Amino acid sequence: MESNPSILTFQLTMEHQKCLIIGSGPAGYTAAIYAGRANLSPVLYCGLQMGGQLTQTTTVENFPGYPEGVDGNEMMMQLRQQAERFGCDMRDGIIEKVDFSKRPYVVTTDRGVEVEADTVIIATGASAKYLGLDDEKKYNGMGVSACATCDGFFYRKKTVAVVGGGDTACEEAIYLAQLCKKVYMIVRKPFLRASDVMQKRVFDNEKIEVLFEHNTLGLYGEDGVEGAHVVRRKGEPDEERYDLPIDGFFLAIGHKPNTDVFREFVALDETGYIRTIDGTPRVASAADPTKALPGVFAAGDCADPVYRQAIVAAGSGCKAALEAERYLQTL
Ligand code: NDP
């Protein structure tokens, strides 16, 4: 039977790439710089939040090479430009589906675009966690936020609360104290988990009041947050419940790795962090976590429950790209 030329004309071949990077934080961009310089012509999908978590922070003071610190957004723009200079194809879009069951691997974007790839570098980072209260959803965008640097501006001369006692919570509280009349920190333990230097900055700041051994039960307000129902020393004989009048409620209780989309093929730990093989960026297979999924690598916070630092993420992005390059030489 003769083939119909008009049908053949419209047959689409799936795009094929040597190196596909998912995520645009320090890990993804660093992987892109290395893969670009190695002539792998990387394609990078930026994800929901271009530039990653550092675009939501203020000054980054601990990234080597910036003696005076650097604005998080500015640093990410510079990393992006550096990767573009070496030919990385930056694309908007979120990867919604992957098929790592056979090679070449196939990823599908939120716009339905399918891309085949010989190697995939997963650098999807982590997202802010919420307490799980119904009121967080009810007042989302109406007084509830997980990003002080994004939303703090709306609370100038107002009273806010930050939940959490880690470095992020301290950083957010210090930032908000520059704008707000008063900042409470709602901390469930009788101590802060944050580093000593951050704790000192918090305790030295007269606008910040730390409410130790406090938990949030709910929020209240007519057209937005007007206060939080809190409990002090929950379950103890001297338990005390009261209402704390606030205008804004900021979550800073840690992050969840963005790895759900890979769950079928990639081994994850109990929190959802990607498991890798013996300290390498090689991703462990969900079917047999002792074996690597050939050509799939992880970098940055999505695979790092321990350090979660930009400099570590950048270093792991470098490692992932070097591994991808070596793997491609074996094909
Ligand atoms: P952390 O995991 O370090 O701290 C989370 C905080 O939230 C803890 O105080 C924890 O309490 C509290 N928390 C968690 N779940 C709940 C809950 N359900 N209810 C109430 N409180 C809760 O997360 P961070 O985001 O602060 O930091 C992550 C990593 O990033 C750390 O390694 C940190 O050092 C680093 N970082 C470094 C910065 C810097 O150097 N400039 C800035 C920001 C982060 P508990 O202690 O009781 O578990």
Side-chain angles (χ1 to χ4, degrees):
M1 195 169 70
E2 278 184 38
S3 62
N4 181 338
S6 63
I7 290 177
L8 281 180
T9 311
F10 290 104
Q11 254 178 4
L12 291 174
T13 47
M14 200 187 292
E15 177 188 350
H16 185 102
Q17 298 295 342
K18 280 191 278 199
C19 178
L20 189 117
I21 300 166
I22 310 174
S24 58
Y29 283 156
T30 306
I33 292 166
Y34 274 76
R37 293 188 81 244
N39 281 334
L40 305 188
S41 309
V43 167
L44 183 149
Y45 277 93
C46 287
L48 203 55
Q49 186 181 35
M50 192 179 83
Q53 290 176 66
L54 282 190
T55 59
Q56 307 217 333
T57 191
T58 46
T59 310
V60 180
E61 292 182 341
N62 50 11
F63 203 94
Y66 298 96
E68 303 303 323
V70 59
D71 176 82
N73 267 298
E74 192 185 320
M75 187 169 104
M76 296 319 294
M77 278 314 294
Q78 287 174 346
L79 279 177
R80 182 184 169 100
Q81 284 161 8
Q82 196 174 350
E84 280 173 334
R85 185 179 146 216
F86 297 114
C88 180
D89 178 355
M90 299 282 176
R91 298 182 182 176
D92 291 334
I94 300 161
I95 301 305
E96 284 199 336
K97 199 172 132 206
V98 300
D99 184 354
F100 293 164
S101 65
K102 56 184 184 313
R103 285 175 273 168
Y105 300 127
V106 178
V107 307
T108 309
T109 75
D110 53 338
R111 292 166 198 181
V113 176
E114 291 191 324
V115 183
E116 266 181 3
D118 295 322
T119 62
V120 178
I121 296 175
I122 303 172
T124 45
S127 298
K129 282 202 286 199
Y130 286 77
L131 293 170
L133 302 170
D134 287 342
D135 287 341
E136 287 171 320
K137 290 193 197 108
K138 181 174 167 189
Y139 294 104
N140 191 19
M142 296 163 64
V144 172
S145 168
C147 177
T149 45
C150 315
D151 300 326
F153 188 73
F154 303 115
Y155 299 91
R156 277 170 302 160
K157 299 194 170 66
K158 295 191 171 174
T159 299
V160 298
V162 176
V163 186
D167 279 325
T168 303
C170 291
E171 200 175 68
E172 306 253 284
I174 294 160
Y175 175 78
L176 288 165
Q178 297 170 41
L179 301 164
C180 302
K181 188 169 68 181
K182 171 95 189 172
V183 180
Y184 293 104
M185 286 183 72
I186 301 176
V187 180
R188 66 181 175 182
K189 293 228 172 94
F191 55 84
L192 295 176
R193 185 200 285 221
S195 54
D196 289 348
V197 59
M198 293 303 263
Q199 292 200 28
K200 184 169 181 331
R201 286 184 199 170
V202 161
F203 293 132
D204 286 350
N205 194 316
E206 57 189 21
K207 282 195 189 168
I208 304 175
E209 183 177 341
V210 184
L211 305 175
F212 287 113
E213 297 182 88
H214 274 65
N215 281 284
T216 312
L217 301 171
L219 301 166
Y220 61 88
E222 284 289 320
D223 296 319
V225 170
E226 290 172 15
H229 305 297
V230 295
V231 53
R232 191 181 75 88
R233 290 180 55 77
K234 191 173 179 212
E236 299 299 324
D238 58 349
E239 175 184 299
E240 183 193 349
R241 289 171 185 244
Y242 65 98
D243 288 347
L244 181 71
I246 49 167
D247 306 292
F249 185 75
F250 288 84
L251 281 307
I253 59 167
H255 290 81
K256 178 184 177 301
N258 300 318
T259 54
D260 285 348
V261 72
F262 308 108
R263 187 172 288 278
E264 188 182 346
F265 304 100
V266 167
L268 305 177
D269 74 7
E270 56 290 343
T271 319
Y273 286 96
I274 293 175
R275 288 182 195 270
T276 54
I277 303 287
D278 295 338
T280 72
R282 281 180 276 148
V283 161
S285 153
D288 180 355
T290 63
K291 297 222 167 69
L293 262 177
V296 183
F297 307 98
D301 283 12
C302 65
D304 179 6
V306 181
Y307 301 108
R308 294 177 291 182
Q309 297 295 302
I311 185 65
V312 179
S316 68
C318 157
K319 288 206 266 182
L322 292 177
E323 289 273 350
E325 187 189 351
R326 281 176 203 159
Y327 172 80
L328 285 165
Q329 283 164 6
T330 68
L331 293 184

